[in-house]
Amino acid sequence: MTAGQHSAPAAGVRTRWRRWRRARPFTAGLLIALGGAEMLVTLRAPLGVLLHVGPQGLAAYLVPLILVICGVLLITTPQQRVFYAVVSLVLGLVSWLTSNLGGFLVGMLLALVGGALAFAWTPVKRRTTHAGPAAGPAEATPAETADGGTAPAPREPVDSSAPTESLEALLSAEPGPPGNARADRG
């Protein structure tokens, strides 16, 4: 077998992976999950390294665990990205008090950057392919429109009371009240 035969399936897998990854806030979810995992790891650090700031009870384990869950859910269900982003931002800030200064700042910063990316992410609009002729309506020839295509109707203003003056006429007009109003003032 040649090298070209093996690269075709790999290119298809890469293309599908890229399309799946771009259809969701993948980087944001990954950063949030890594931030939560880093906070969980710092909780199990040797006793000499731990900073005892904030309650070291259930909240110390709950906040990073919820961050990991938010990161995974952000990747799997991107429709709820705003909710997961806000929860991640709030828990990232709360981790400063509960989880060893937010996992020695690293986990907290990862969660905050991931939450901001998730909040800013928007889904990509699918591109529609245009099956019509490449020429625009102004460049269409009568033969092209007679072959089955319909010529577009001319554009009309939405409101019939809309001003029809040109921009130059509006800009060249003298500002202020009409001339007879000035004469009345004296």
Side-chain angles (χ1 to χ4, degrees):
M1 295 199 166
T2 63
Q5 292 174 345
H6 291 293
S7 64
V13 170
R14 262 185 287 163
T15 303
R16 283 185 287 157
W17 166 253
R18 189 175 297 126
R19 191 178 308 128
W20 179 84
R21 185 177 44 115
R22 288 182 179 169
R24 57 200 70 245
F26 184 79
T27 306
L30 186 65
L31 287 176
I32 292 170
L34 285 175
E38 197 273 337
M39 286 181 214
L40 282 172
V41 168
T42 59
L43 289 175
R44 304 302 305 163
L47 291 177
V49 178
L50 286 179
L51 297 175
H52 295 286
V53 175
Q56 292 294 322
L58 180 63
Y61 291 100
L62 196 59
V63 169
L65 186 64
I66 293 174
L67 278 172
V68 171
I69 292 171
C70 278
V72 171
L73 287 175
L74 189 62
I75 293 171
T76 57
T77 57
Q79 299 84 5
Q80 304 296 326
R81 69 184 181 281
V82 175
F83 173 73
Y84 297 135
V86 170
V87 169
S88 298
L89 288 170
V90 169
L91 289 179
L93 292 173
V94 167
S95 71
W96 174 262
L97 299 173
T98 61
S99 303
N100 293 327
L101 297 176
F104 302 118
L105 293 177
V106 176
M108 181 182 77
L109 289 177
L110 285 172
L112 292 177
V113 169
L117 286 175
F119 194 76
W121 183 83
T122 56
V124 176
K125 304 271 188 211
R126 298 214 182 242
R127 294 182 186 168
T128 58
T129 58
H130 183 65
E139 299 172 1
T141 62
E144 289 176 357
T145 57
D147 289 339
T150 59
R155 289 183 151 186
E156 294 186 19
V158 176
D159 185 12
S160 62
S161 65
T164 56
E165 296 175 347
S166 67
L167 181 60
E168 291 92 19
L170 289 173
L171 292 176
S172 66
E174 186 177 325
N180 58 2
R182 289 183 190 161
D184 293 339
R185 277 193 258 162

